[in-house]
Amino acid sequence: MLGIFGAAVGLISIVSALTPSLASRSELVQGVLPPGVPSAARWLALAFGLALVWLAGSLTRGKRRAWQLSVVLVAAVALAHLGKGLDAEEAGLSLVLLLALIRYRRSFDVAGDPQTRPLVLTVAALASLVAALVLYELHEGVLPEDVIDLATATATLLAFRSLYLWLRAWREREQPSAPDRARARELVSSHGHDSLAYFALRRDKSYFFSESRRAFLAYTVLGGSALVSGDPMGDPSELGELLRSFRALARQRGWRVAIVSASAELLPLYRSAGFHAIKVGDEAVVRPSAFSLEGRPIRKVRQSVHRLLRAGYAAEVIEDRVLDPPLRAELRGVSEEWRGRSPERGFSMAMDELFGNPGALFVVARDPKGCVRGFLHLVPSPASGGYSLSAMRRCRETPNGLMEFLIVEALRWSKARGASEVSLNFCVFADLLRAGERSLPGRVARTGLQSLDHVFQLDRLLTFTGKFFPEWRPRFLCIERLSDFPLVGLAYLRAESLLSPPSLRRAA
C-alpha cells in the first residue's frame, strides 16, 4: 500500500509542478524568498515527483534503500511545494506519507547491491551538475544557455542512472566451490531422473543446497531475477523446504524467483509453494525401443538416411572421455563454422562447453574422405538411463538430411544399449504453432510467432522435431507473481542468449 501511496504523491507533485500556483500565495512566496528560489523549487518538485513514481515498485517489494531514499525525497518534496508557491495541501499529503514510512520502517528489510562504487561516481557527477543548475537559477546569465540545456539533459540521465544503481538487486551470485560442484554431480547421478538434470552442471550456474546437502537447485541471476534451471534434485522430502529457504534468500537480496523449464511432475510442489505455472512449450522425447524407420509417415526421414548413405557418409558414436586432440579440433571447427558470429545459446537445455562432460557422447558424421562434417552432442540422464540432445552442428555445405541421419544413428545406438529415452528438442509455444489452432486469438498468435521464425526458428524446429513422432512433454515457467512475467521473460531470453542488451564494453 505504501508503494501505491508513494506513486500517488509523486503524480500529484508532477501535476502541481506543471500547473501554476495560486496568484496570492505565489506573490507572498516571491516577496519572502530570494529571486529564483520558487522556480528552482518547482523543478525540484517535478524531479522528486518523478523519482517517487519510480520508487513505488521498489517500495512494494520492501527494499530498504527505496525506503531510505523515499524518506529523504518526501521531506524534500514537501519543502519544494512550500517554496514554489506555498502549496500547503501537497506539502501536507507528503508529510502524511513521511509519517507512514517512518511508522512501517521495519517492513523494508530487502538489502541492495553491496557494490556501490559505480553509484558513488555517478552521484558525484550528478551533484556537480545540480549545483551548476541551481547556481544558474539563482544568478541567471552566469552560464551560457546551451551549456545549461546540455547540463539539464545530462543531470536527468545521471539521476535515473543513480536511482537504478541504488535500487538494483544483488548482482553477485554464489560461486560454487569444488566440493559444491562435486556434491551437485553426485546428486545429479543419483536423483537426475529428469531429462534436463545434467544441464544443472553448467559452469555458469550457482548452487543452493538444503541444510543437510541432500537436495539442491541450480540457478543464475539476471536483471534481478533468480532463474532456477529445471527441477530441484535430491531427497524428495527436502524439496519443499529447499524452495522455501531459497525464496527467503532471494527476498533478502531483492530477487524475483522463477523456475524455468519445470516439469509437470513437480507442479503440485510449486503450486503449494505459491508459484504460478505458465506452460511455455513442449519437450520432444523419443523412446528408442519403439522407434522405427518403417512405414509411410516417416518416409522423409528414411529417404534422408538413405541419401546420406548413398553419398558415402558414415556415423559413429564416441564417448567424450576417449576423444583425442585431433578429433576435438575437428569437432570444434565444425561447431565454430556452424555458429559463425552467433553466441553460444542455451541455459536450461544445453551445455556451455562441448568437452569435459563425463558420460557425454558425440554422434559424428564423416564424409567419404573421413572428414568430420557434423555431429550431435548428447548428455546422460544418469538416474533414468536416457540421453538428452545438447547441440547439433554441421558444416554448411553438407547434404540436406544430415541431422536426421545423425539422430537416427543416435536412436539406433541407444536402442542397442537399452537406453530408456532420448530427449531431442524443446519447442517453445508448440501448442500455438500447431496447425490445428482455429480460434481467432490462436491464429493471430500463431502468425506473430511465425513472423519471428527467421530469428528464433520456432516453427522450423517444431516441424523438424515432429518428423520423429516424439512424445511431447509439457514444460512450464513458474513465477511467484503474474506481474513478474515481463521482467522474468526478458531475463530468461537473456539467459538463453536469445536477447543481448547493448553493452559499451562489448561494442568496444
Side-chain angles (χ1 to χ4, degrees):
M1 288 299 294
L2 284 180
I4 298 175
F5 191 8
V9 170
L11 290 172
I12 291 171
S13 297
I14 294 170
V15 173
S16 178
L18 296 176
T19 54
S21 302
L22 294 176
S24 58
R25 295 183 184 180
S26 180
E27 291 175 0
L28 177 61
V29 169
Q30 291 175 1
V32 175
L33 296 177
V37 170
S39 177
R42 183 176 297 276
W43 280 106
L44 290 175
L46 175 62
F48 293 159
L50 289 169
L52 285 173
V53 172
W54 187 333
L55 286 170
S58 297
L59 286 174
T60 302
R61 298 185 68 84
K63 293 187 176 182
R64 183 70 178 175
R65 289 183 176 179
W67 176 87
Q68 293 169 342
L69 188 55
S70 295
V71 168
V72 175
L73 288 177
V74 171
V77 82
L79 294 175
H81 283 304
L82 295 176
K84 71 183 180 65
L86 204 60
D87 296 328
E89 296 82 3
E90 291 92 329
L93 188 62
S94 300
L95 291 176
V96 171
L97 174 59
L98 178 61
L99 293 174
L101 287 170
I102 295 173
R103 169 65 178 81
Y104 295 103
R105 61 188 179 278
R106 298 188 185 278
S107 301
F108 301 91
D109 55 358
V110 176
D113 188 352
Q115 295 184 356
T116 57
R117 183 180 177 185
L119 175 64
V120 171
L121 296 176
T122 305
V123 170
L126 175 62
S128 301
L129 281 174
V130 170
L133 291 173
V134 171
L135 177 64
Y136 173 77
E137 286 291 338
L138 295 177
H139 303 281
E140 189 171 351
V142 172
L143 296 173
E145 196 68 32
D146 292 342
V147 173
I148 291 301
D149 292 341
L150 178 60
T152 301
T154 306
T156 302
L157 294 175
L158 287 175
F160 282 114
R161 175 67 175 170
S162 299
L163 280 175
Y164 165 73
L165 292 173
W166 180 252
L167 298 174
R168 71 181 180 183
W170 282 47
R171 301 183 70 192
E172 291 297 320
R173 57 185 178 86
E174 301 295 332
Q175 297 296 333
S177 62
D180 286 344
R181 291 195 179 280
R183 180 57 180 157
R185 191 172 294 278
E186 291 174 4
L187 291 172
V188 168
S189 297
S190 57
H191 295 278
H193 296 279
D194 189 70
S195 56
L196 309 187
Y198 197 93
F199 301 121
L201 302 177
R202 283 173 59 109
R203 295 163 181 81
D204 59 353
K205 295 179 181 177
S206 299
Y207 301 132
F208 184 81
F209 291 90
S210 63
E211 187 175 353
S212 67
R213 294 178 67 84
R214 292 202 299 266
F216 87 108
L217 56 81
Y219 73 97
T220 195
V221 179
L222 285 171
S225 298
L227 305 178
V228 178
S229 175
D231 295 332
M233 281 171 279
D235 187 337
S237 65
E238 296 194 4
L239 297 184
E241 182 59 33
L242 176 71
L243 278 177
R244 285 189 289 271
S245 299
F246 183 70
R247 291 182 71 187
L249 172 70
R251 173 172 169 74
Q252 293 172 8
R253 298 186 175 183
W255 297 337
R256 307 169 198 87
V257 176
I259 303 167
V260 300
S261 302
S263 70
E265 285 74 15
L266 289 187
L267 283 186
L269 172 66
Y270 301 141
R271 285 172 174 150
S272 66
F275 285 90
H276 301 275
I278 302 172
K279 184 180 177 182
V280 292
D282 293 285
E283 179 189 8
V285 178
V286 177
R287 299 192 179 278
S289 60
F291 179 78
S292 172
L293 286 177
E294 300 299 323
R296 181 174 177 79
I298 204 170
R299 68 186 185 283
K300 291 184 179 180
V301 175
R302 184 171 61 248
Q303 290 168 358
S304 296
V305 172
H306 291 163
R307 182 168 59 252
L308 268 295
L309 290 174
R310 287 195 300 269
Y313 276 73
E316 61 177 330
V317 179
I318 308 171
E319 295 185 33
D320 178 276
R321 63 182 177 83
V322 300
L323 292 175
D324 56 32
L327 180 53
R328 286 194 179 201
E330 282 193 273
L331 293 171
R332 193 176 294 279
V334 170
S335 180
E336 291 174 355
E337 179 184 342
W338 175 250
R339 283 174 48 218
R341 301 184 65 178
S342 301
E344 189 73 70
R345 291 178 173 174
F347 170 70
S348 56
M349 295 185 176
M351 295 304 294
D352 54 341
E353 176 55 55
L354 283 176
F355 309 113
N357 301 298
L361 304 173
F362 287 87
V363 186
V364 181
R366 296 182 183 273
D367 64 13
K369 297 181 180 179
C371 298
V372 174
R373 310 304 288 167
F375 66 88
L376 304 180
H377 184 228
L378 299 167
V379 297
S381 304
S384 66
Y387 289 90
S388 292
L389 180 62
S390 174
M392 300 187 296
R393 304 285 160 80
R394 66 179 177 85
C395 295
R396 296 187 180 275
E397 73 278 6
T398 53
N400 291 333
L402 182 68
M403 290 297 105
E404 290 91 334
F405 172 66
L406 287 174
I407 288 175
V408 168
E409 182 61 29
L411 291 172
R412 284 174 175 169
W413 185 93
S414 301
K415 181 177 182 179
R417 284 152 183 80
S420 59
E421 63 184 34
V422 175
S423 172
L424 295 182
N425 286 307
F426 173 63
C427 299
V428 182
F429 305 126
D431 291 341
L432 290 174
L433 289 168
R434 292 188 179 105
E437 183 60 60
R438 294 183 178 180
S439 66
L440 178 60
R443 292 199 302 271
V444 172
R446 185 170 186 266
T447 301
L449 291 172
Q450 287 176 328
S451 68
L452 298 174
D453 194 59
H454 67 286
V455 178
F456 300 114
Q457 301 184 12
L458 304 179
D459 202 20
R460 278 179 283 176
L461 183 62
L462 178 64
T463 301
F464 171 81
T465 308
K467 295 178 181 179
F468 301 93
F469 298 95
E471 169 190 333
W472 295 102
R473 292 181 184 171
R475 290 285 173 178
F476 299 86
L477 173 66
C478 297
I479 53 180
E480 297 175 289
R481 291 170 293 273
L482 292 177
S483 59
D484 289 344
F485 181 75
L487 293 177
V488 166
L490 289 175
Y492 190 15
L493 289 174
R494 287 179 59 191
E496 296 285 356
S497 296
L498 295 172
L499 179 67
S500 298
S503 169
L504 291 177
R505 181 181 301 174
R506 184 165 55 249

